[in-house]
Amino acid sequence: DAGVTQSPTHLIKTRGQQVTLRCSPKSGHDTVSWYQQALGQGPQFIFQYYEEEERQRGNFPDRFSGHQFPNYSSELNVNALLLGDSALYLCASSRAGPGELFFGEGSRLTVL
Amino acid sequence: DQQVKQNSPSLSVQEGRISILNCDYTNSMFDYFLWYKKYPAEGPTFLISISSIKDKNEDGRFTVFLNKSAKHLSLHIVPSQPGDSAVYFCAASAFGAAGNKLTFGGGTRVLVKP
């Protein structure tokens, strides 16, 4: 049973560019959440997708957008990259309702 | 505004002894609390959780205590093992659904010495 898978694992971009990160949830999960973890800090909630719609959103600018596909996989897009967007981006999946989140290994983004 | 705080950035403990990790929160709407463990180059792994209707939950070597009046929770690991060396995150959510948005603390790095 595959867990949460994310791609790519590492990537380097320059300021102003755009990036797309991908996530496949754990089998049987229909809810996908994205978190940003800066160095030395805890993960911060970006947004959550359920039934292909954004259900909740954290305090992130509109440059951060996402999508969920009918097979429950998800993408995170960040436009007009800033140096401060350098971080580990974590995808987590869950079933709707109570239950813990299962995290992927993350995508390490470096913005130069 | 940091709603979940882990005031100890690091903790060092001898193998076989107890590790106690602390977490404070400010949002009284939080009703479900979780602990995650994170190794380098891996995603966080769920450890244990507790609902606000309980004050203790135990799972093997791990016990979480919740003091709602103090808005404080702690994780006890007994006995500590070298494989427990990792960063531990406290997290909280509102409305009783861990599938909802989680608010994380900054983490506590635990080192268990053989």
Side-chain angles (χ1 to χ4, degrees), chain A residues 1-6 23-35 47-49 55 68 71-74 90-105, chain B residues 34 36 44 46 98-100 102:
Chain A
D1 176 25
V4 179
T5 58
Q6 293 187 241
C23 173
S24 293
K26 182 177 169 64
S27 178
H29 287 183
D30 55 11
T31 302
V32 173
S33 303
W34 287 91
Y35 288 79
F47 42 54
Q48 183 182 83
Y49 278 85
R55 185 162 69 170
Q68 186 179 35
N71 66 353
Y72 307 120
S73 67
S74 177
L90 294 162
C91 172
S93 73
S94 60
R95 293 189 186 93
E100 69 268 20
L101 299 186
F102 289 78
F103 283 86
E105 295 188 354
Chain B
L34 309 90
Y36 280 82
F46 171 75
N100 271 336
L102 290 185

Side-chain angles (χ1 to χ4, degrees), chain A residues 16-83:
Chain A
Q17 284 189 314
Q18 178 263 346
V19 68
T20 297
L21 308 178
R22 296 176 177 82
C23 173
S24 293
K26 182 177 169 64
S27 178
H29 287 183
D30 55 11
T31 302
V32 173
S33 303
W34 287 91
Y35 288 79
Q36 180 196 66
Q37 185 179 13
L39 202 59
Q41 298 182 19
Q44 290 208 9
F45 177 77
I46 302 175
F47 42 54
Q48 183 182 83
Y49 278 85
Y50 172 69
E51 292 189 340
E52 302 180 51
E53 291 195 0
E54 184 181 290
R55 185 162 69 170
Q56 289 194 75
R57 189 179 182 91
N59 190 24
F60 279 81
D62 291 345
R63 297 187 298 109
F64 289 77
S65 63
H67 190 77
Q68 186 179 35
F69 299 94
N71 66 353
Y72 307 120
S73 67
S74 177
E75 288 182 351
L76 164 66
N77 300 291
V78 187
N79 294 323
L81 285 167
L82 305 173
L83 296 179

